[in-house]
Amino acid sequence: MPLTLADAAEPTDTLAELHSDTQAVYWLARCPQTGGMQLWRWTADSNEAPQCLIEDAVGSRVNQYGGGSYTPLLGGVVWVRQHDQAIMHLDHHGASHCWQKRPQTAYGGLCADPKRQRVLAVEEDTHGQRLIALTDSHRQVLAEGADFYGAPILSDDGNYLAWVSWSLPHMPWQRSQLHLAQMAANGRLEAFERWDFGAALSQPQFGPHNALICMSDHAGWWQPWQVSLATPLCLSSAPVDHITTPWQLGERQHAWRDNRQVYCQLHQGAAQLYQRSGEQVAALLPSPGRVVSITLARHGDYAIVQNTTSGALLIRFTENCPHRCLAGNVVDNAAGSLAAKNTATAQWLEAPVGNEGETVHGFFYSASANHTAPLIVRVHGGPTAATYPVYDPLVAYWQQQGFHVLDINPRGSGNFGRHYRECLAGQWGISDTDDVIALVNAACARFAIDTARCFIRGQSAGGFTALNALAATPLFAAATSLYGVTDALSLSAKTHRFESGYLGWLIGDESLLAQRSPTYKVPHCRRPLRALFIQGGKDAVVVPEQTHAMARHIKQQGGQAQTLLFDNERHGIRHPQARQTMLARELAFYQEG
C-alpha cells in the first residue's frame, strides 16, 4: 500500500520527555492536528487507556530549543505553556492555575521538589539565565552568574541538587561544569561543590545512596562517571557515546534506581538500550535504533525509542513480563502495517576523508524500483546532531517515488565520540562539504545512481552545507535549504544568545565567516544554480532575511530560486498541513530537475 503525502509528512519526533511518579508514567505526544506537543499520562498497572492531560501545546523556549517543559508534582503536573511560556499547575483535582508569567521570559528544565511543594527550573530573559524555585506564590533564585544552566536534578530524599552550567563562547557539548549543593531547610543552596574536567559534562543523575553520576566526554566518549568520590570512577569504559549531543534541557538517556540501571550505547550511529540488574546485563531492543528518553519507577522501566520498522514508541519493560507498548505506531507485520510494508534496511556506507584513518559515514536507502535512480542526500542540522537508521516515512515515500536516499553524518556529528565532533573546529564550510562529496562519490561507485540527478537537502546548519556543496561541485543538480544558514557573518550578529559564540569555534573571525558562507560562494560560482528555500516567518535562529537574500543572489547570477515561506512557523516546520505543502513542493522541485 503506497504511502500518502500525509504519511510522508508525519514527523519522527512524535513522542518526547518521559517522567514517572509512584502511580503513573507521563510523556509528550505530538498532536496530529496542530503539530504541538500535548501531555499524556498512563496509570500504572491499570486497564485504562492513556489519557491526554493537557491539550494546550506544552513546550519550553529556553535556548530556542527548549526541553524539560513539565514535571509531575504531588499527583499533579507543573508545565510550561508554549505560546506565552507561563508556568502552569494542574493539581490532582484537575484544576489548572497559572503560577508564573513574566514578559519576555522562558522556562525549561523543570524539576520537581515535592518535599517543599515547588518546582525548580531554568529561567531565561533578556538579562540571561538562572536557576530558580517556584511555588504558586513565591519565586526564589537558587543560582546565577553563569551564562547558561541545564539539567537540574534533585536527589530522591530532596537533600541535594545537581546541575550543569556553561558560559560563552562554549556550547554544552564543548565545555561545561557540574555542580552539587545541599538543599537547606529554607530551600536555599549551601555547601557547593564543582567539577570541571575540561570537557563536556551532561545529564547528571543520582544513584543509590545519593551517588552523583554524570556523563563526561573528557576521555573521548560520553561515558558515565561517579564523581562524588575522592577519585571519579568510570562506570562503563566502552569506547562509545552513551548519550546524544545535549541540544535540549531535560534529556535523560541513562537512569539509576536501587540496584538497576538502564542506559544506552551508540555503535555505528545506532543506539541499543541496556538494563543492568546486579551483574546481569540485558539488551532491551530487538535491534538498535534511537533512544529518546528513559525513566525508572517501581512499577516499571520506560523508554521512548525508535527502530527500523516503526515511528517513536513508548515501551514499558517489567521483569518477567513481555514488553508493552503504551504509545506510538505499533508494528503488526501480520496486519501489514504501513511501516512494516514500506521499510527498507539502511545500508552503512563510509568513505575515507581528512587524515589517514578518518572516514565519513552515513546510511543508504535504495529506491523501491531495482534500477538506476536519482539520489536525495540529506544533511542534518546542528551541525552536531545526527541521523539514525530508523524508520522515517519521508524516506520511505521518496523511495516509492523512485529516489535513492543517503543520510549523512559528516564530521562534527554527534554519536561518534568527542574527536569526531571536534574535527569541525574551524573547518565548517570546508570539511563538511568535503565529506558530502566523498560519501556521494562512494555511493555512486557502489549503487545504481543517476549521477545527473543528484539532489541535496539540509535543515538549519545542514542547509549551510547543502548550499555550499551545490556551489562547490556540479555533482548536485539542485539543493533544498530548510531554514538553512546562508550568511554566517550576518547570523553571528543576529542569532539568539545560545549560539552567539558558536560560529567563532566553527569557522573563525569575521573574514572567514564571510568567505565560508553560501552568500560569498554563490557569486563566485561559474554556473547557474538551482535551489528551493523553505523558511518559517517567526524563525529566531535563522532569520528569514537570510533566506530572501540568498534567493536574490542566485537569481542575480542567472540561477533559479524558489522560496516557500510559512508565516507562523519558527525554526522547523511543525504544522501538519504546512509539512504536506512543503513536501509536495519539494518533490515537484526534484521531479522538475
Side-chain angles (χ1 to χ4, degrees):
M1 182 179 181
L3 291 169
T4 66
L5 188 63
D7 296 325
E10 179 74 18
T12 58
D13 58 343
T14 53
L15 303 176
E17 292 197 36
L18 267 178
H19 279 288
S20 57
D21 58 21
T22 56
Q23 288 86 32
V25 61
Y26 305 78
W27 65 95
L28 296 182
R30 198 169 296 285
C31 174
Q33 286 75 42
T34 67
M37 300 299 274
Q38 299 174 322
L39 181 60
W40 287 70
R41 177 179 65 188
W42 178 70
T43 302
D45 299 317
S46 74
N47 294 322
E48 298 176 3
Q51 173 193 8
C52 181
L53 280 185
I54 298 168
E55 294 185 356
D56 284 345
V58 179
S60 164
R61 288 189 185 148
V62 172
N63 301 330
Q64 294 295 321
Y65 300 104
S69 53
Y70 79 95
T71 184
L73 179 68
L74 301 174
V77 176
V78 178
W79 55 286
V80 181
R81 191 165 59 192
Q82 185 181 53
H83 79 271
D84 61 0
Q85 293 297 281
I87 297 280
M88 305 296 294
H89 179 223
L90 182 75
D91 65 25
H92 63 282
H93 298 296
S96 189
H97 314 272
C98 180
W99 271 16
Q100 177 94 336
K101 182 181 176 183
R102 309 180 79 175
Q104 295 183 303
T105 303
Y107 296 93
L110 270 59
C111 172
D113 183 0
K115 187 175 182 178
R116 300 164 187 86
Q117 300 185 39
R118 64 182 188 173
V119 295
L120 316 178
V122 177
E123 181 183 78
E124 178 182 64
D125 58 23
T126 55
H127 301 292
Q129 290 187 2
R130 59 207 66 86
L131 274 183
I132 64 165
L134 279 175
T135 68
D136 60 344
S137 59
H138 185 63
R139 171 183 172 273
Q140 182 181 37
V141 176
L142 298 178
E144 56 186 338
D147 287 340
F148 300 96
Y149 291 87
I153 184 75
L154 199 62
S155 61
D156 285 345
D157 60 13
N159 293 332
Y160 295 91
L161 177 68
W163 69 94
V164 296
S165 71
W166 65 98
S167 292
L168 294 170
H170 296 122
M171 300 296 284
W173 51 84
Q174 294 171 333
R175 184 167 184 174
S176 56
Q177 292 76 44
L178 173 65
H179 303 264
L180 176 68
Q182 291 184 18
M183 191 77 76
N186 63 2
R188 295 192 178 276
L189 302 182
E190 57 187 23
F192 292 82
E193 294 185 66
R194 177 177 175 272
W195 292 268
D196 185 341
F197 296 159
L201 293 92
S202 189
Q203 295 193 27
Q205 295 286 321
F206 285 100
H209 311 294
N210 288 340
L212 181 56
I213 300 159
C214 188
M215 293 291 174
S216 175
D217 70 349
H218 66 276
W221 308 89
W222 266 310
Q223 298 161 319
W225 288 77
Q226 183 174 341
V227 300
S228 50
L229 299 168
T231 301
L233 174 66
C234 185
L235 302 179
S236 174
S237 58
V240 295
D241 280 335
H242 290 63
I243 61 169
T244 57
T245 311
W247 276 91
Q248 291 187 310
L249 304 177
E251 293 178 310
R252 188 182 298 109
Q253 291 159 319
H254 68 115
W256 311 71
R257 177 177 287 274
D258 302 328
N259 69 334
R260 72 186 194 277
Q261 311 158 21
V262 176
Y263 60 95
C264 72
Q265 292 182 350
L266 289 131
H267 299 268
Q268 282 196 332
Q272 176 57 270
L273 190 63
Y274 297 95
Q275 184 183 67
R276 178 189 294 273
S277 183
E279 297 301 316
Q280 300 297 315
V281 178
L284 296 179
L285 304 179
S287 61
R290 184 177 188 181
V291 175
V292 178
S293 189
I294 296 169
T295 188
L296 306 188
R298 298 201 182 278
H299 46 78
D301 300 344
Y302 301 84
I304 294 173
V305 300
Q306 293 172 271
N307 59 41
T308 57
T309 57
S310 69
L313 303 174
L314 168 55
I315 300 177
R316 183 193 192 200
F317 307 95
T318 50
E319 193 173 1
N320 301 322
C321 293
H323 300 166
R324 177 177 178 182
C325 182
L326 298 175
N329 298 320
V330 181
V331 172
D332 183 353
N333 288 300
S337 71
L338 281 176
K341 284 194 169 187
N342 293 287
T343 298
T345 303
Q347 300 180 66
W348 175 260
L349 183 67
E350 60 184 331
V353 290
N355 298 321
E356 185 176 354
E358 291 183 350
T359 61
V360 60
H361 22 73
F363 303 104
F364 185 85
Y365 302 85
S366 296
S368 298
N370 188 22
H371 56 71
T372 300
L375 173 69
I376 298 174
V377 181
R378 301 200 305 178
V379 187
H380 63 69
T384 57
T387 187
Y388 300 80
V390 296
Y391 174 71
D392 185 335
L394 179 56
V395 171
Y397 180 74
W398 279 336
Q399 289 175 290
Q400 290 180 359
Q401 299 297 322
F403 293 89
H404 299 305
V405 180
L406 174 61
D407 278 350
I408 181 171
N409 280 313
R411 282 172 290 176
S413 300
N415 303 346
F416 301 94
R418 185 177 180 92
H419 174 74
Y420 197 77
R421 277 197 330 273
E422 295 204 320
C423 282
L424 204 56
Q427 294 299 304
W428 197 36
I430 298 176
S431 68
D432 53 318
T433 304
D434 293 343
D435 289 355
V436 166
I437 294 170
L439 201 62
V440 172
N441 281 330
C444 290
R446 180 173 169 183
F447 303 104
I449 293 172
D450 181 353
T451 56
R453 298 180 64 209
C454 289
F455 307 99
I456 184 168
R457 81 186 305 258
Q459 57 193 51
S460 192
F464 179 90
T465 302
L467 292 169
N468 274 343
L470 177 68
T473 172
L475 183 60
F476 298 107
T480 298
S481 170
L482 297 98
Y483 38 93
V485 177
T486 62
D487 184 349
L489 180 60
S490 173
L491 182 67
S492 67
K494 295 182 180 179
T495 194
H496 59 135
R497 182 169 165 270
F498 176 62
E499 294 179 83
S500 59
Y502 193 28
L503 287 168
W505 183 88
L506 286 169
I507 297 177
D509 60 22
E510 289 189 355
S511 64
L512 289 174
L513 289 174
Q515 292 170 23
R516 301 276 184 83
S517 298
T519 49
Y520 177 87
K521 295 182 178 180
V522 164
H524 291 79
C525 187
R526 295 182 178 274
R527 69 184 195 285
L529 304 179
R530 185 167 172 264
L532 170 64
F533 296 91
I534 297 168
Q535 177 70 43
K538 295 182 178 179
D539 194 337
V541 179
V542 177
V543 294
E545 288 81 358
Q546 282 213 8
T547 291
H548 297 312
M550 187 73 234
R552 287 195 300 271
H553 279 306
I554 290 178
K555 290 177 181 178
Q556 289 166 0
Q557 298 298 315
Q560 302 175 42
Q562 301 178 24
T563 302
L564 181 59
L565 180 70
F566 295 98
D567 291 335
N568 294 318
E569 294 285 348
R570 297 181 182 273
H571 196 62
I573 309 304
R574 294 296 185 188
H575 194 280
Q577 190 57 55
R579 288 180 60 82
Q580 290 185 48
T581 300
M582 171 185 79
L583 296 178
R585 174 73 74 88
E586 188 176 358
L587 177 61
F589 178 71
Y590 298 144
Q591 290 173 334
E592 291 167 5

